[in-house]
Amino acid sequence: DSSASVGPFNLRFARTTHGRKNMAIRIEVQEKEHKKSFGFSGDGDFTEATKDLFANIDLLAHETYLLDTKILGHGCVKDALSAAIEIGVKQLAMLHINRSVRKNSKKQIIDLIQEKTDMPKLAKDINDENFPAKLNVSIPEPGDNYEI
């Protein structure tokens, strides 16, 4: 695990669980009196090191390949939701969902999100910024933009 600075950005890295070497990244920038943070898991599941890396992060883009089954080198929706809540992630963008799971299990994904987070629907469909969910969750589509 390591860190670096590039201009105003502080970068930290940690290994994920994957068949090949894969590093997750946390990028932070101080904006006025608030620090803003973004994390990206790359391809791989949570580890204790990435949980530490992503603790209390503003926006985490994390790989969630299958619904509730883990396979070597990949996370799943169910575990990503649990881990994100456990470590205080504010916004979770679930990436790299298997095409057939995304197509055929969308209702089960939304049901899991609702069960784990108390969200009535996906974060991008909620207009109230102060929605009292444990975690705001989205499944990005091409062209979606996020602000932290």
Side-chain angles (χ1 to χ4, degrees), residues 26-39:
R26 180 184 182 123
I27 303 169
E28 294 179 328
V29 63
Q30 189 72 34
E31 191 172 277
K32 298 182 182 172
E33 65 277 351
H34 299 288
K35 189 178 284 188
K36 298 207 173 191
S37 53
F38 168 74

Side-chain angles (χ1 to χ4, degrees), residues 19-68:
R20 296 183 178 230
K21 185 177 180 180
N22 182 71
M23 301 294 280
I25 184 171
R26 180 184 182 123
I27 303 169
E28 294 179 328
V29 63
Q30 189 72 34
E31 191 172 277
K32 298 182 182 172
E33 65 277 351
H34 299 288
K35 189 178 284 188
K36 298 207 173 191
S37 53
F38 168 74
F40 178 62
S41 68
D43 200 17
D45 197 9
F46 280 97
T47 63
E48 288 306 313
T50 61
K51 284 182 179 181
D52 289 343
L53 181 72
F54 296 141
N56 301 307
I57 203 160
D58 292 311
L59 174 60
L60 174 58
H62 204 283
E63 189 258 350
T64 54
Y65 192 66
L66 297 175
L67 182 64
D68 57 6

Side-chain angles (χ1 to χ4, degrees), residues 12 19 22 38 42 47 62 74 78 91 115 121 128 146:
R12 292 178 25 216
N22 182 71
F38 168 74
T47 63
H62 204 283
H74 296 286
K78 183 178 180 181
Q91 169 79 24
E115 172 190 325
K121 42 186 157 170
D128 181 3
Y146 293 82

Side-chain angles (χ1 to χ4, degrees), residues 78-92:
K78 183 178 180 181
D79 291 348
L81 290 166
S82 295
I85 291 167
E86 172 190 337
I87 62 174
V89 171
K90 294 173 186 76
Q91 169 79 24
L92 175 65

